Amino acid sequence: MTDIATLSKAILDGDRRALARAITLIESGRADHRATAGTLLEALASSGRQALRIGLSGTPGVGKSTFIEAFGYMLTAQGKRVAVLAVDPSSARSGGSILGDKTRMERLSRDPRAFIRPSPSQTHLGGVARRTRDVVALCEAAGFDVVLIETVGVGQSETIVSGMSDVFALLIAPAGGDELQGVKRGIMEIADLIVVNKADGELKDTATRTAADYAGALRLMRKREGDPDDFPKVLTVSALRETGLDTVWTEIEALTAFRKETGFWERRRAQQAASWFEDEVRQGLLAQLAADPKAEAAMATMREAVSTGARTPGAAASEVLALLRR
Ligand SMILES: Nc1nc2c(ncn2[C@@H]2O[C@H](COP(=O)(O)OP(=O)(O)OP(=O)(O)O)[C@@H](O)[C@H]2O)c(=O)[nH]1
Ligand SMILES: [Mg+2]
């Protein structure tokens, strides 16, 4: 039995072990654990604490771990408390997860002001996303100033991470002009900052050119609500040599200040909460279907009937959903 009042107080006091315990409850496969976690989150919601949520994405090898280590350490050195979480489609990754590169984040993982948590292992990205949102809420209640949410650029994960972030940064590698086409337009559209990493040594000139190419591409894109005139912005950094990281932070702060002043920040958080709620309802209904043997059997029957063309998808779905209304 978990004493929620005690756990909740410990989390509010910033007790890392309590935080880790609560995360374990959230990630648990057991329904009673998750119910406890739900009550806990509800109890913590009144803290009203907010962190700056920064989403960070980039293809494998672009330098995410190196960047997070250096950037996170820079922030903790300023006295900020930093949590690092990951949203990863588990199938797409084995060795590269945050857990695997605790060595790459050695300095940060030893830092008492930092908290690093790998992506929960789940097959469904949707499941990982739900857990991560809850963990973000826990970290906010625990008083973290910054929550960094990392994802490797695979499929939907950037959209999911940007949907739970206040600021979204895309890390890219220096490359020739043709490579620009490789970054999907949709990703460019959700990025607040495009950070060209590895701007050092032999790659420095290429990085500068790459940054100019992206800046050009961004100028051709539609103006977004919530952006000051000079955003989205392109910056060059070297995560390895730790140059340009202070500018990344300054720009994030400038963007945040602007969005708070204009009310965009609040509106976006409100929208995110609403779509989070809808997602929970949707997932809850699916779980209810899966938990009901009759509904599950009907799902199987209807899936078959729809695939052979015997039933239309709409009618088949209505019939299955009607079972939940009994
Ligand atoms: N020259 C240079 N190399 C870098 C820089 N940042 C990272 N690297 C190197 O790039 C390689 C990949 O870096 P990681 O930080 O592991 O990249 P990642 O994006 O976390 O990769 P995955 O976890 O596999 O997705 C390592 O060999 C790093 O040392 C940089 O700023 N400059
Ligand atoms: Mg990594």
Side-chain angles (χ1 to χ4, degrees):
M1 220 4 230
T2 308
D3 178 0
I4 292 182
T6 311
L7 189 54
S8 148
K9 186 178 177 309
I11 290 168
L12 290 171
D13 288 345
D15 178 337
R16 302 153 57 94
R17 252 185 306 167
L19 177 62
R21 244 185 90 212
I23 295 177
T24 307
L25 287 175
I26 283 174
E27 291 174 356
S28 170
R30 275 176 52 180
D32 60 327
H33 285 170
R34 288 210 304 274
T36 307
T39 315
L40 178 68
L41 283 166
E42 190 100 275
L44 290 169
S46 59
S47 83
R49 289 178 179 162
Q50 285 190 336
L52 173 60
R53 308 175 186 162
I54 304 174
L56 181 78
S57 170
T59 48
V62 70
K64 294 180 296 299
S65 302
T66 313
F67 178 87
I68 290 171
E69 155 90 352
F71 187 71
Y73 194 75
M74 178 188 81
L75 296 178
T76 58
Q78 295 169 10
K80 297 185 178 67
R81 296 181 64 215
V82 178
V84 180
L85 313 173
V87 171
D88 278 321
S90 55
S91 54
R93 273 192 138 184
S94 45
S97 69
I98 290 191
L99 189 63
D101 56 32
K102 277 242 166 165
T103 42
R104 194 152 286 150
M105 296 200 217
E106 210 191 330
R107 208 172 27 157
L108 195 61
S109 58
R110 276 191 276 110
D111 191 327
R113 289 201 188 90
F115 180 84
I116 300 180
R117 186 79 182 189
S119 184
S121 50
Q122 297 230 338
T123 28
H124 296 295
L125 194 51
V128 176
R130 284 172 75 207
R131 305 278 173 276
T132 307
R133 276 189 294 225
D134 285 340
V135 175
V136 169
L138 279 180
C139 291
E140 293 198 313
F144 283 92
D145 302 294
V146 176
V147 178
L148 280 165
I149 312 158
E150 185 209 312
T151 190
V152 68
V154 173
Q156 281 296 95
S157 67
E158 293 102 336
T159 316
I160 288 174
V161 167
S162 113
M164 58 177 92
S165 307
D166 301 310
V167 173
F168 185 73
L170 178 66
L171 212 57
I172 58 171
D178 290 350
E179 301 262 333
L180 188 62
Q181 315 301 325
V183 174
K184 287 182 229 87
R185 197 185 162 81
I187 314 281
M188 296 265 294
E189 275 167 356
I190 57 174
D192 298 308
L193 280 177
I194 291 183
V195 181
V196 184
N197 189 32
K198 309 195 184 183
D200 51 50
E202 287 178 355
L203 289 170
K204 190 161 185 185
D205 291 343
T206 318
T208 308
R209 272 199 305 278
T210 305
D213 288 347
Y214 275 92
L218 283 177
R219 275 193 291 276
L220 300 176
M221 291 185 26
R222 187 170 51 86
K223 190 96 197 95
R224 305 179 314 172
E225 192 210 348
D227 283 347
D229 283 344
D230 52 347
F231 272 86
K233 204 168 247 188
V234 186
L235 302 170
T236 56
V237 303
S238 167
L240 199 62
R241 306 245 175 107
E242 304 187 11
T243 56
L245 303 177
D246 46 349
T247 311
V248 173
W249 177 247
T250 314
E251 295 295 350
I252 288 174
E253 278 196 307
L255 182 63
T256 302
F258 179 87
R259 289 182 171 175
K260 284 191 168 163
E261 268 164 40
T262 56
F264 179 81
W265 172 282
E266 282 297 318
R267 278 204 301 285
R268 182 166 151 131
R269 283 236 170 173
Q271 272 164 10
Q272 286 176 341
S275 77
W276 179 359
F277 159 71
E278 278 165 20
D279 192 42
E280 290 285 339
V281 171
R282 209 173 297 126
Q283 299 296 330
L285 281 173
L286 288 174
Q288 229 177 304
L289 280 175
D292 181 337
K294 253 194 197 151
E296 253 230 313
M299 282 284 275
T301 312
M302 291 304 169
R303 202 177 287 122
E304 175 67 19
V306 166
S307 62
T308 60
R311 297 293 305 269
T312 64
S318 300
E319 202 164 308
V320 171
L321 289 172
L323 290 172
L324 290 182
R325 262 183 255 123
R326 280 165 311 162

